[in-house]
Amino acid sequence: MLGREVSLEAEMRAHYLQHVPFEGLGYIESWLRAKGYPVTGTRFFESTRLPSLDEFDILIVMGGPMSANDESTFPWLGQEKEFIRNAIEAGKSILGICLGAQLIASAMGARVFPNPVKEIGWWPVQGIQPANELAFRFPPSIEVFHWHGETFELPPGAIHLAKSEGCENQAFQLGRSVIGLQFHLETTPELVQGLVSHCRNELLPSTYVQSEAEILSASPEKYQAINRLMGEVLSFLCRSDP
């Protein structure tokens, strides 16, 4: 079985959906390149062309400052959600991050709406240990990077994987091959600097919003910890067993 998994991993082709220039793949790109996986992408701020479902094996849906409900402002969101739903139904491996997780939830019939509080900065999430043996397991607690004002209901049939004090639904899994994360494990210092530069107007003092100085002072160890966990999530999604 191990040999079969390694063989199939070597054939994985990745495609990503990017919504704004400053929310790129970050550590995910390093992980994919290290595995030797071909990587293609759709950058909606440049083109709305999407691949056919037989052109990729794992789909990565990135974050962005828009809402999953903003179809009137960004008409391609409707097209993107249909594409995500078709990819899920086709059994593709899918990872959604922040807006990406919200788009997966919306595509599968769940509601996306404003969270009671914004979460911006480095805050802990708590892993929920599901009974399903096929579910990914997060650590009991880990400090991760957040930048979101909205949240989602769990899609029908989803497994709840993580929560925080400020936001109940932090992560979920659908079936064996779909994971949505409200937080950012792909984050690098460069990505954080880009978010701060483009979205610092959101850094208004509140319970779960850190200052720019606090956000930018994170230690290299914090980035290393979340990137390791991102690698574990990606390895889980790239396993060959259904």
Side-chain angles (χ1 to χ4, degrees):
M1 177 62 75
L2 180 59
R4 176 174 176 267
E5 289 184 9
V6 172
S7 174
L8 286 183
E9 270 200 38
E11 298 173 2
M12 295 288 283
R13 300 159 299 164
H15 189 84
Y16 64 91
L17 306 179
Q18 186 175 351
H19 305 101
V20 288
F22 55 89
E23 291 203 47
L25 289 173
Y27 174 76
I28 295 171
E29 182 171 9
S30 301
W31 191 92
L32 293 171
R33 300 293 185 191
K35 291 287 186 182
Y37 296 166
V39 181
T40 57
T42 297
R43 302 175 181 88
F44 286 104
F45 49 92
E46 295 176 349
S47 170
T48 60
R49 182 191 174 279
L50 291 164
S52 63
L53 294 177
D54 60 6
E55 291 181 51
F56 64 91
D57 304 296
I58 180 169
L59 179 68
I60 300 160
V61 191
M62 301 307 300
M66 63 284 293
S67 168
N69 301 316
D70 282 347
E71 292 184 31
S72 59
T73 305
F74 304 100
W76 44 261
L77 282 169
Q79 177 189 5
E80 183 179 11
K81 283 187 271 191
E82 181 181 7
F83 180 75
I84 291 169
R85 183 167 56 252
N86 290 340
I88 291 172
E89 292 172 352
K92 301 295 182 178
S93 294
I94 302 175
L95 172 63
I97 297 170
C98 202
L99 172 63
Q102 296 164 7
L103 288 168
I104 292 172
S106 180
M108 300 308 290
R111 188 169 63 100
V112 176
F113 55 95
N115 196 53
V117 295
K118 286 189 175 184
E119 281 184 311
I120 301 177
W122 296 87
W123 303 103
V125 296
Q126 293 77 48
I128 297 168
Q129 304 308 310
N132 190 322
E133 63 181 15
L134 296 180
F136 184 84
R137 281 166 168 75
F138 284 93
S141 181
I142 182 171
E143 195 170 79
V144 299
F145 186 72
H146 305 257
W147 199 301
H148 72 100
E150 293 199 313
T151 186
F152 47 78
E153 294 177 340
L154 295 178
I159 302 168
H160 193 193
L161 298 180
K163 63 182 180 179
S164 71
E165 289 184 3
C167 182
E168 178 66 18
N169 292 333
Q170 285 283 357
F172 66 86
Q173 181 176 328
L174 279 172
R176 174 60 185 79
S177 57
V178 179
I179 289 180
L181 306 177
Q182 184 63 80
F183 45 92
H184 296 265
L185 299 178
E186 82 287 3
T187 291
T188 62
E190 294 75 21
L191 283 182
V192 169
Q193 184 62 66
L195 275 165
V196 168
S197 297
H198 288 87
C199 305
R200 58 167 45 95
N201 61 301
E202 294 187 56
L203 298 178
L204 303 176
S206 72
T207 306
Y208 298 107
V209 177
Q210 291 179 334
S211 68
E212 180 174 337
E214 288 177 296
I215 289 170
L216 295 179
S217 66
S219 68
E221 290 75 20
K222 284 188 178 181
Y223 290 100
Q224 291 164 7
I226 63 172
N227 290 169
R228 279 195 299 269
L229 185 54
M230 181 82 271
E232 292 175 16
V233 172
L234 289 167
S235 291
F236 179 88
L237 290 173
C238 289
R239 281 168 48 186
S240 64
D241 52 312

